């Protein structure tokens, strides 16, 4: 029996990844390396005969462009793409734009690791007057103000990612559609945790690398049975 597979990919290296800055909802370009990583991911998918019926991404260009590079390379540029804020990176609150090493120097490694990897510890929040507040950005103008984050933990990120999986993506999987999701380190951690029932302690150890395809396999009842990186 051939397992049903969903492919998840974090975007390629971005300019702020290269500068080691907290990025979150800040909309930043891919680097040359990030574009090459997207292309390598696509070649790997091609080598393993992957093609897709549905593709999903965030409203941030590092993910949108990664997806487009991949679709071009596998000769599926024509595929329609669903973009949603729900797959955005976690909002990094007041850390957005700061250098990760400088934040470690100020607050210590332990605290910063909890902000970055724990399940329910939220980084320091911004106020609605901060220029980083997404409420100032027209792409989020359809959202009620109370839905727009000031800073998110993995837990609160999951609260907006999981309903999109359950209500939009999963029904397509149940129609046997082949699905590709290109998103972000933490929106994908939330999804991988949910699908594979990873506990809140274990999730601390999960760090998703850029542009490395993750395969989630489902059984005949569309229940996830395992996940791994495509080699
Ligand atoms: O938003 C960011 O800074 C990165 O995309 C993910 O960062 P992290 O590895 O600190 O969660």
């Amino acid at each position: 029996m051939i397992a049903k597979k969903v492919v998840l990919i974090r975007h390629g290296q971005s300019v702020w990844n290269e500068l080691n800055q907290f990025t979150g909802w800040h909309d930043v370009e891919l680097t040359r390396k990030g574009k090459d990583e997207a292309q390598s991911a696509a070649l790997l998918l091609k080598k393993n005969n992957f093609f897709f019926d549905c593709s999903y991404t965030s409203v941030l260009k590092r993910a949108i462009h990664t997806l487009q590079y991949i679709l071009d390379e596998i000769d599926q540029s024509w595929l329609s793409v669903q973009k949603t804020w729900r797959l955005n990176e976690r909002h990094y609150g007041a850390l957005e734009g700061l250098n990760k090493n400088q934040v470690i120097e100020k607050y210590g490694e332990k605290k910063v690791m909890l902000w970055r990897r724990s399940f329910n510890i939220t980084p320091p929040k911004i106020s609605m007057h901060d220029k980083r507040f997404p409420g100032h950005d027209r792409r989020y103008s359809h959202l009620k103000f109370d839905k727009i984050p000031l800073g998110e933990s993995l837990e609160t990120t999951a609260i907006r990612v999981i309903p999109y999986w359950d209500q939009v993506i999963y029904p397509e999987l149940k129609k046997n559609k082949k699905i590709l999701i290109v998103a972000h380190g933490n929106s994908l951690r939330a999804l991988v945790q949910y699908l594979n029932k990873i506990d809140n302690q274990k999730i601390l150890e999960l760090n998703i690398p850029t542009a490395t395809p993750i395969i989630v396999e489902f059984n005949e009842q569309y229940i996830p049975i395992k996940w791994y990186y495509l080699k």
Side-chain angles (χ1 to χ4, degrees):
M1 193 60 54
I2 299 169
K4 301 162 205 312
K5 296 175 184 171
V6 170
V7 179
L8 314 178
I9 305 183
R10 183 183 175 195
H11 60 83
Q13 186 198 55
S14 74
V15 172
W16 279 20
N17 290 147
E18 191 180 32
L19 293 172
N20 201 26
Q21 285 176 194
F22 285 100
T23 315
W25 283 35
H26 182 77
D27 201 6
V28 66
E29 296 280 351
L30 292 174
T31 59
R32 178 69 258 169
K33 181 178 171 202
K35 293 171 190 169
D36 292 345
E37 285 177 335
Q39 213 144 24
S40 307
L43 290 174
L44 194 56
L45 292 170
K46 204 147 99 174
K47 193 174 113 198
N48 286 276
N49 300 317
F50 277 90
F51 63 92
F52 302 99
D53 301 308
C54 307
S55 67
Y56 303 89
T57 190
S58 69
V59 292
L60 297 170
K61 60 187 162 200
R62 58 194 188 274
I64 296 168
H65 294 166
T66 299
L67 174 57
Q68 208 50 59
Y69 280 112
I70 291 171
L71 293 178
D72 285 350
E73 189 64 46
I74 63 172
D75 203 17
Q76 282 207 270
S77 315
W78 48 268
L79 190 68
S80 78
V81 171
Q82 302 285 322
K83 297 176 193 147
T84 172
W85 67 278
R86 288 182 178 274
L87 290 173
N88 274 12
E89 180 56 289
R90 131 254 291 280
H91 194 292
Y92 251 124
L95 300 181
E96 287 195 9
L98 304 183
N99 178 280
K100 292 183 183 177
N101 288 339
Q102 285 170 3
V103 176
I104 291 173
E105 268 166 39
K106 184 156 177 204
Y107 295 97
E109 184 116 29
K110 203 163 157 216
K111 180 99 205 151
V112 175
M113 237 20 216
L114 288 174
W115 284 334
R116 292 181 66 191
R117 291 290 166 266
S118 71
F119 178 67
N120 56 6
I121 296 172
T122 310
K125 292 191 176 181
I126 50 168
S127 82
M128 283 189 179
H129 306 292
D130 194 298
K131 66 175 181 343
R132 294 167 292 184
F133 176 56
H136 304 308
D137 187 328
R138 64 189 302 179
R139 88 190 80 181
Y140 305 114
S141 57
H142 62 295
L143 294 179
K144 291 206 181 100
F145 255 44
D146 65 352
K147 278 257 186 298
I148 302 178
L150 303 168
E152 296 178 295
S153 62
L154 184 63
E155 183 178 27
T156 53
T157 305
I159 289 171
R160 48 132 167 126
V161 171
I162 304 311
Y164 191 77
W165 165 267
D166 281 341
Q167 292 158 29
V168 179
I169 305 179
Y170 190 50
E172 296 301 322
L173 177 69
K174 286 179 142 181
K175 290 184 219 156
N176 290 324
K177 297 279 166 79
K178 305 220 180 305
I179 290 164
L180 171 61
I181 303 173
V182 178
H184 301 263
N186 293 290
S187 50
L188 291 178
R189 282 174 78 228
L191 194 53
V192 169
Q193 179 180 31
Y194 173 69
L195 294 176
N196 300 288
K197 298 192 179 10
I198 299 174
D199 73 44
N200 296 346
Q201 202 46 41
K202 265 258 166 263
I203 199 64
L204 267 154
E205 295 157 26
L206 181 65
N207 175 33
I208 295 181
T210 49
T212 307
I214 292 174
I215 310 298
V216 186
E217 287 192 6
F218 294 76
N219 69 13
E220 284 303 295
Q221 285 70 49
Y222 304 94
I223 294 166
I225 44 175
K226 62 174 171 176
W227 73 281
Y228 49 89
Y229 293 103
L230 187 65
K231 296 258 163 62

